């Protein structure tokens, strides 16, 4: 899948800032020839991926979250704001996942574009932190990712009704890929020695709910939260009772507490990707299959 840069600036920001400030390339920008494409801005990689799969040649997609950044703390540049102002469709994850983006979208003129919040309408899964925050990582459930594809397709058809057939075909292909991933997870996790995973960050509620697993988190839902003595003791007890010897950490995340716990239980750490950003060389499907491999090894699945 080709990744390019969409430079989108409103006249206002051209006048004020010239859109010339240094810019790290966005995580997932795609541009294609033709003036009839629909401009889409996505708040994070999973939604950019879904929009590109559903829209393909009919859309130009910009992801506001560059690789290597913390999606929760993203701060928008003038160029990002310009892209939002120029977008025909904005797809986002609400619920406080990316506060700066939610604030920017709320400030856009009403009725000037289509907006799709993929988290709206889903049954919430509450994270394991003291605040009981809502887990935003719905895309770790392939069937909910398929629902997001449907929501994006519906809005693209409203914007570009002449391409209805194309969007519908693309959507069915996308849903077929997600159905295959779902089948792989069901088969791969059907017979496992354990069904409890210990994770550094409670980002896997939708995944564990779909596949009848249980997650125990060291630090709750917030990526900035520190493990508490109580949460570490719970994880130790669960490790002893279940025989779990793998403590899952996120790519690029803080592994100190997980490594200490792994040593205490005679185990090791392994990566489990919440797929908030695109990791180098992996698209969404590859990242999901990588997660399945990690889970199967940790849970000793047949």
């Amino acid at each position: 899948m080709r990744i390019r840069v969409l430079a989108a600036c409103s006249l206002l920001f051209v006048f004020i800032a010239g859109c010339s400030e240094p810019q790290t390339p966005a995580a997932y920008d795609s541009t294609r020839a033709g003036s009839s494409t629909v401009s889409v801005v996505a708040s994070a990689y999973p939604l950019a991926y879904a929009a590109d799969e559903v829209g393909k040649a009919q859309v130009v997609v910009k992801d506001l979250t560059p690789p290597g950044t913390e999606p929760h703390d993203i701060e928008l540049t003038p160029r990002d704001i310009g892209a939002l102002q120029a977008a025909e469709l904005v797809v986002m994850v609400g619920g406080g996942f990316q506060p700066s983006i939610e604030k920017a979208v709320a400030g856009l003129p009403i009725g000037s574009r289509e907006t799709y919040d993929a988290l709206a309408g889903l049954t919430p899964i509450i994270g394991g932190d003291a605040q009981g925050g809502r887990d935003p990582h719905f895309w770790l459930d392939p069937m909910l990712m398929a629902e997001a594809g449907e929501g994006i397709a519906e809005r693209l058809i409203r914007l570009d009704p002449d391409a209805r057939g194309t969007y519908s075909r693309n959507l069915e292909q996308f849903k077929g890929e997600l159905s295959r991933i779902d089948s792989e997870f069901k088969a791969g996790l059907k017979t496992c020695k354990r069904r409890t995973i210990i994770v550094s960050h409670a980002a896997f509620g939708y995944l564990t709910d779909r596949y009848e697993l249980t997650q125990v988190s060291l630090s709750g839902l917030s990526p900035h939260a520190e493990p508490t003595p109580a949460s570490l003791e719970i994880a130790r007890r669960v490790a002893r009772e279940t025989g779990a010897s793998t403590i899952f950490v996120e790519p690029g995340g803080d592994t100190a507490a997980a490594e200490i716990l792994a040593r205490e239980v005679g185990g090791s750490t392994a990566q489990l990707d919440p797929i908030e950003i695109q990791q180098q060389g992996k698209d969404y499907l590859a990242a999901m299959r990588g997660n399945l491999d990690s889970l199967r090894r940790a849970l000793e699945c047949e």
Side-chain angles (χ1 to χ4, degrees):
M1 193 167 293
R2 295 170 294 177
I3 300 177
R4 304 176 184 171
V5 175
L6 169 63
C9 295
S10 67
L11 291 177
L12 174 63
F13 279 95
V14 169
F15 178 75
I16 295 175
C19 261
S20 59
E21 78 283 356
Q23 171 86 356
T24 300
Y28 196 97
D29 292 355
S30 64
T31 52
R32 300 178 174 85
S35 60
S36 62
T37 53
V38 177
S39 60
V40 181
V41 172
S43 68
Y45 169 69
L47 290 175
Y49 179 83
D52 204 45
E53 289 296 298
V54 173
K56 294 189 182 294
Q58 301 300 124
V59 301
V60 176
V61 180
K62 176 179 177 63
D63 177 8
L64 293 176
T65 304
T69 60
E70 171 50 63
H72 305 266
D73 300 333
I74 190 74
E75 293 295 336
L76 300 182
T77 66
R79 183 168 297 195
D80 294 331
I81 298 295
L84 280 171
Q85 291 174 330
E88 296 169 87
L89 172 61
V90 175
V91 292
M92 59 183 288
V93 182
F97 177 59
Q98 295 176 296
S100 65
I101 294 177
E102 291 183 53
K103 182 178 179 180
V105 171
L108 296 173
I110 296 175
S112 61
R113 65 196 44 76
E114 290 281 348
T115 301
Y116 174 57
D117 180 352
L119 205 60
L122 295 183
T123 301
I125 288 182
I126 304 303
D129 56 352
Q131 290 74 35
R134 182 175 184 177
D135 183 353
H137 304 84
F138 75 89
W139 54 84
L140 296 176
D141 178 339
M143 296 297 93
L144 295 183
M145 185 66 153
E147 289 185 20
E150 292 173 350
I152 291 168
E154 177 184 339
R155 286 152 181 82
L156 287 173
I157 289 170
R158 286 207 292 259
L159 289 164
D160 185 18
D162 291 343
R164 173 187 294 271
T166 299
Y167 294 129
S168 296
R169 287 190 296 273
N170 294 345
L171 174 63
E172 290 308 307
Q173 181 180 354
F174 183 48
K175 289 168 65 176
E177 292 171 346
L178 294 169
S179 180
R180 283 189 289 276
I181 286 286
D182 179 54
S183 296
E184 290 173 24
F185 267 79
K186 286 177 178 176
L189 299 174
K190 184 176 181 179
T191 307
C192 301
K193 185 176 180 180
R194 290 177 295 277
R195 303 205 67 81
T196 298
I197 60 174
I198 301 175
V199 298
S200 60
H201 173 203
F204 302 94
Y206 285 98
L207 186 151
T208 54
D209 186 63
R210 170 65 65 178
Y211 300 111
E212 300 180 345
L213 303 176
T214 299
Q215 73 169 340
V216 174
S217 171
L218 303 186
S219 57
L221 184 59
S222 170
H224 304 302
E226 295 291 333
T228 65
S231 67
L232 288 171
E233 181 54 37
I234 290 172
R236 289 189 195 96
R237 176 173 55 78
V238 169
R240 290 194 297 267
E241 292 175 352
T242 65
S245 59
T246 299
I247 312 301
F248 285 113
V249 297
E250 297 181 20
D254 185 355
T255 64
E259 289 173 353
I260 292 171
L261 179 60
R263 287 196 295 270
E264 290 177 352
V265 301
S268 60
T269 61
Q271 288 191 354
L272 198 63
D273 190 355
I275 321 183
E276 295 177 341
I277 59 175
Q278 185 177 19
Q279 303 297 330
Q280 186 175 9
K282 287 186 178 182
D283 66 6
Y284 168 83
L285 297 178
M288 285 293 288
R289 290 190 169 101
N291 281 346
L292 176 58
D293 289 342
S294 294
L295 288 168
R296 284 179 48 78
R297 287 193 296 270
L299 298 175
E300 298 184 53
C301 304
E302 296 179 2

